[in-house]
Amino acid sequence: MHRTALLAATASLVAGLLAWPANAAPSDFVHPGVTVSKGQLDFTRSKVGSGAQPWKGAFDRMIASKYADLNRTPKPRAVVECGSYSNPNHGCTDEREDAIAAYTQALAWYVTRDERHARKAIELMDAWSGVIRDHTNSNAPLQTGWAGSSWPKAAEIIKHTYTGTWANSGRFATMLRNVYLPEVINGSHSNGNWELSMMEAAVGISVFLEDKTSYDKAMAKFRTRTAAYVYLASDGELPKTVPSQNLNTREKIVRYWQGQSTFVDGLSQETCRDFTHTGYGLSAISHIAETSRIQGQDLYGTDVGERLRHGLGFHAKYELGTAAPAWLCGGSLKPGLGPVPEVGHNALANRLGHAMTNTGTLTQRGRPAGSNNLFVAWETLTHGDNPG
């Protein structure tokens, strides 16, 4: 019976892959268009300018952070070496945080029109584009995915809204193409949050570079990985898999799902590991879906949206304090989802009208959302109840 279920799941996955458009890239890329659009930025600026909440409070939190410091000194390295859990940490934190700072300064520029913030964002991007050559050690793909998710968000805003000059924008593009994109574009067979973060970087970089081939490749990997990361009952008895991982028995699948053998809507491949890593994966799913929507292909109405909706709702329930039943991770969970639900909640509850009570409660409780200091930052400000 298990073999039959596996064959059915494989056939379903193949059918789904064939149904997805081979060319997801738009005929013309929209800019700024990585996670946040001009319409969303304009809405944010208007709300902050009028002192409306929660946006004014979110902006104040951002401006008070270390990332908005106009005296920040970038710390670029030629080679960033990151071992497991960033040990060793040779430039890992510096790179991620300088990338978040560049995005923070770009947002501050857009909201305030204070050119000092735009110039600081450029200073940070220029510092790294002039120095970095490689990422090494075991965490290199994930590190590149995290930093590579923030850099294009910053660059999109500066290149396409700042009226001053950015003389080294071409060098920055070369950095993304030669140092970051090759490290992430082929994906990963590690836990699913790795490949999702790597595809977030690949999609964002592809938008900035207007690289349709890389965009399509990254989006195809994203669709396959998302289906294999969050379970839906419609998947069948067992979760979907990434074919190249050869998870071709129930035993292998259960082991990969951290020992979890009962599958329900919204369960993640990493739920029984901890909610923090699950939050990384769900966040990357929401970011890529948002970028895709801005670029003209709305994935929220597909299985991507369903998986994100159920994934957020399932984990929000337990994050809010519901006790774990014995069948779920042996009755023991490790909460700590992080500041991740704003983008998905706004898209699915506000824009599409889905009832998402637990996710809504968790979103409100976390406002104004800050940064996880890896690749998530200021999403109450940019996406909280934002109709753009």
Side-chain angles (χ1 to χ4, degrees):
M1 183 174 69
H2 297 329
R3 179 175 172 79
T4 302
L6 279 165
L7 289 171
T10 301
S12 174
L13 177 59
V14 170
L17 284 167
L18 292 174
W20 299 339
N23 298 312
S27 55
D28 294 298
F29 283 98
V30 176
H31 303 291
V34 176
T35 310
V36 61
S37 68
K38 186 176 186 302
Q40 289 169 318
L41 290 167
D42 287 341
F43 174 87
T44 296
R45 183 171 188 244
S46 171
K47 290 298 184 181
V48 173
S50 66
Q53 299 296 354
W55 305 278
K56 181 60 167 61
F59 176 77
D60 289 344
R61 181 175 183 183
M62 182 184 81
I63 285 295
S65 76
K66 62 184 179 181
Y67 298 117
D69 184 358
L70 286 167
N71 293 314
R72 183 182 186 88
T73 300
K75 298 177 180 178
R77 285 181 182 241
V79 177
V80 174
E81 181 185 3
C82 307
S84 181
Y85 293 94
S86 294
N87 182 22
N89 182 341
H90 296 153
C92 316
T93 302
D94 292 338
E95 180 189 29
R96 293 193 305 265
E97 295 194 349
D98 275 351
I100 292 173
Y103 177 52
T104 302
Q105 299 284 351
L107 286 174
W109 141 254
Y110 199 91
V111 171
T112 67
R113 292 300 193 271
D114 183 339
E115 290 200 31
R116 292 177 300 168
H117 289 297
R119 290 195 292 269
K120 179 57 70 171
I122 290 170
E123 178 190 341
L124 289 158
M125 291 188 285
D126 283 354
W128 280 89
S129 71
V131 172
I132 190 167
R133 293 185 284 103
D134 199 11
H135 297 86
T136 64
N137 215 318
S138 58
N139 257 33
L142 182 60
Q143 170 73 18
T144 310
W146 282 340
S149 293
S150 296
W151 286 130
K153 289 194 290 189
E156 279 282 295
I157 294 172
I158 295 301
K159 182 175 181 180
H160 297 285
T161 73
Y162 177 51
T163 52
T165 57
W166 181 13
N168 290 315
S169 63
R171 188 179 75 189
F172 184 82
T174 298
M175 175 192 79
L176 293 182
R177 184 180 300 282
N178 294 343
V179 179
Y180 288 81
L181 191 57
E183 187 73 47
V184 296
I185 191 64
N186 292 316
S188 165
H189 287 165
S190 185
N191 284 301
N193 81 86
W194 276 53
E195 185 161 87
L196 288 166
S197 288
M198 292 162 71
M199 291 310 105
E200 179 184 344
V203 166
I205 289 168
S206 296
V207 171
F208 184 73
L209 298 178
E210 298 194 332
D211 182 340
K212 295 182 181 182
T213 300
S214 294
Y215 186 95
D216 287 343
K217 182 175 181 178
M219 197 61 73
K221 282 190 174 293
F222 163 69
R223 294 292 298 261
T224 302
R225 176 60 69 175
T226 298
Y229 193 69
V230 181
Y231 176 82
L232 293 177
S234 57
D235 295 338
E237 180 188 355
L238 294 168
K240 293 189 175 186
T241 64
V242 174
S244 57
Q245 287 192 257
N246 295 315
L247 299 173
N248 51 9
T249 67
R250 179 182 179 86
E251 181 185 13
K252 288 181 180 178
I253 291 172
V254 168
R255 188 183 308 124
Y256 186 61
W257 282 63
Q258 318 293 327
Q260 179 67 15
S261 58
T262 301
F263 303 101
V264 297
D265 281 331
L267 183 80
S268 160
Q269 180 255 316
E270 297 189 87
T271 300
C272 295
R273 181 188 186 189
D274 59 58
F275 279 24
T276 300
H277 286 88
T278 300
Y280 299 163
L282 293 175
S283 181
I285 291 171
S286 71
H287 293 164
I288 296 173
E290 194 71 0
T291 296
S292 180
R293 183 188 69 86
I294 294 166
Q295 297 303 327
Q297 184 187 33
D298 195 336
L299 297 177
Y300 289 116
T302 71
D303 77 296
V304 170
E306 279 297 282
R307 293 177 197 280
L308 180 60
R309 178 167 72 91
H310 284 289
L312 287 172
F314 180 85
H315 294 89
K317 173 183 175 180
Y318 296 105
E319 186 78 16
L320 291 168
T322 297
W327 60 263
L328 178 60
C329 309
S332 178
L333 298 173
K334 298 178 182 177
L337 204 59
V340 305
E342 287 279 14
V343 175
H345 180 263
N346 184 55
L348 295 162
N350 295 338
R351 197 179 294 131
L352 295 184
H354 290 294
M356 298 176 71
T357 304
N358 288 324
T359 303
T361 299
L362 185 64
T363 301
Q364 290 286 341
R365 192 177 79 173
R367 286 182 171 176
S371 174
N372 70 353
N373 304 311
L374 299 173
F375 70 105
V376 179
W378 323 124
E379 293 183 351
T380 299
L381 178 66
T382 55
H383 290 82
D385 303 332
N386 191 326

